[in-house]
Amino acid sequence: MRGPLLHRRFPQLVTSLPYLPLGDRPTPVRELTGLAHGVSLWCKDESGFGSGGWGGNKIRKLEWILPDVQRRGTRTILTVGGLGTNWGLATALYAREQGLTTALALIDQPVDDHVRAQLERLRRSGATLHFTRTKNRTIAAAPWLFLRHATGRRLPYFLPAGGSAPVGTLGYIEAALELAAQVADGALPEPSHVVTAVGSGGTAAGLALGLRLAGLRRTRVVGVVVNHTLQLDAQAVVTLARKTERLLRRRGANLPPIQIAPDDVTMVRDWLGPGYGYATPQALEAQRLAADSAHMELEPVYTAKALAAVLAMAADGRLGTGPVLFLHTHGPRDGL
């Protein structure tokens, strides 16, 4: 596939919203049999997306973010995440390939083997790590962090957790357009629901806007909240989607009229557990089932909680008969 679908649909964006390909598209879809009862369950597997040191949904965001950093002439990215942040690691690795440096403000989360391994990867990534520990301490340290990582008179390019800014959200508009093309090609039926883990909101917001642009009006986004430190309700997701729509219009895209309301997005918190980074029995069981029945590698912070929600909601009828699409967003790499 040559060039992003977003550029093909809106050629005005080719120069105003530059793009850097970092993975092979389209990501595969397949039916998952034997996991959910009474529902046709499918998976769009983003775990293999990304040609560099890390994969998954974060790389789709970086395809739009990194060119924007370069367009502004900034040399350093400043961003935040938990101790085991996939987002921070992906940013550091892919930014390094583009000659950019990364500084990370890290907030505490429960430390297990997964987090210990991720911290070691972060240390090897070349990023500068600041252990700010809490959200409030990170906010208080922000002025110092900006000055510490300024280059000359240029402040660092700041990104919120998960890259969930309007530019990063473009990555999942692109994924939604890709999904629509796969439906049109007969690779899968049009889903009634797309279910994704929500840690910062950008993936869900991009899907909500992208599905409307793609014409998949039947498909609803279901976000499984896995982070207690941010406001992650339907209104917050829709607000980010609307900001992204305005970005597209400002950069020249001739978008059709779009109406996205909080009722178009379903956010569920029942599988969060005690908070971000805490494993739950339901998530660990979903992780085991995914490995045994579908040969999928999930992790307990995001994807296992999202699949646990899918299985429970399918069992109690909240997803109807489907077809339901589970978005698999975790992308580890061997050897890191």
Side-chain angles (χ1 to χ4, degrees):
M1 186 181 292
R2 295 177 60 188
L5 294 169
L6 194 57
H7 280 174
R8 294 194 210 175
R9 182 163 294 209
F10 305 108
Q12 311 93 331
L13 300 176
V14 172
T15 55
S16 62
L17 273 173
Y19 169 83
L20 174 68
L22 296 175
D24 295 326
R25 307 176 313 279
T27 56
V29 293
R30 63 180 171 119
E31 189 170 11
L32 302 177
T33 57
L35 272 177
H37 301 289
V39 170
S40 171
L41 180 60
W42 290 71
C43 173
K44 185 165 175 62
D45 191 349
E46 300 278 273
S47 66
F49 190 82
S51 55
W54 200 251
N57 65 328
K58 314 304 184 188
I59 316 308
R60 287 207 186 253
K61 299 177 180 182
L62 289 167
E63 290 188 317
W64 300 91
I65 288 169
L66 292 178
D68 196 54
V69 176
Q70 293 171 322
R71 182 181 67 86
R72 296 191 190 186
T74 309
R75 306 307 304 165
T76 300
I77 297 171
L78 172 63
T79 190
V80 298
L83 292 175
T85 174
N86 292 320
W87 158 246
L89 179 61
T91 301
L93 294 171
Y94 285 87
R96 186 175 66 187
E97 291 180 357
Q98 303 304 314
L100 304 171
T101 59
T102 301
L104 300 174
L106 299 177
I107 296 172
D108 288 349
Q109 70 179 86
V111 176
D112 56 14
D113 289 343
H114 167 74
V115 172
R116 290 187 191 94
Q118 195 74 332
L119 271 171
E120 184 54 36
R121 296 181 188 109
L122 287 168
R123 291 188 175 100
R124 294 199 302 265
S125 73
T128 301
L129 308 183
H130 300 282
F131 295 88
T132 49
R133 305 203 59 181
T134 69
K135 179 179 178 180
N136 287 340
R137 287 181 60 174
T138 303
I139 293 170
W144 179 82
L145 289 170
F146 273 95
L147 291 174
R148 164 69 175 78
H149 293 286
T151 304
R153 295 187 177 183
R154 289 191 181 274
L155 294 176
Y157 185 110
F158 176 73
L159 287 164
S164 291
V167 172
T169 301
L170 299 175
Y172 270 85
I173 295 177
E174 179 70 17
L177 296 174
E178 180 180 297
L179 174 62
Q182 290 174 303
V183 170
D185 289 343
L188 78 162
E190 181 177 348
S192 62
H193 301 82
V194 177
V195 184
T196 182
V198 176
S200 57
T203 297
L207 288 171
L209 178 55
L211 290 169
R212 295 297 171 266
L213 289 174
L216 296 184
R217 302 190 181 281
R218 173 177 181 258
T219 308
R220 293 183 57 85
V221 176
V222 178
V224 182
V225 176
V226 301
N227 189 348
H228 67 286
T229 66
L230 299 174
Q231 180 185 348
L232 291 172
D233 56 14
Q235 183 61 60
V237 170
V238 168
T239 296
L240 179 54
R242 289 172 178 165
K243 288 179 179 179
T244 307
E245 178 190 353
R246 291 196 293 272
L247 171 69
L248 290 170
R249 294 188 190 278
R250 285 198 310 272
R251 298 294 177 92
N254 186 21
L255 271 61
I258 301 169
Q259 296 293 330
I260 303 177
D263 288 347
D264 296 328
V265 179
T266 300
M267 302 292 283
V268 294
R269 302 180 66 88
D270 306 35
W271 290 270
L272 173 60
Y276 178 78
Y278 287 90
T280 64
Q282 298 94 330
L284 295 175
E285 176 62 10
Q287 186 178 28
R288 184 191 67 78
L289 287 171
D292 292 347
S293 300
H295 308 291
M296 286 195 303
E297 182 181 351
L298 307 184
E299 40 67 48
V301 180
Y302 291 86
T303 48
K305 288 183 178 180
L307 184 61
V310 170
L311 300 181
M313 288 190 290
D316 66 19
R318 276 188 274 177
L319 298 176
T321 58
V324 174
L325 183 69
F326 168 66
L327 193 70
H328 178 18
T329 56
H330 179 52
R333 293 288 185 269
D334 293 335
L336 275 181

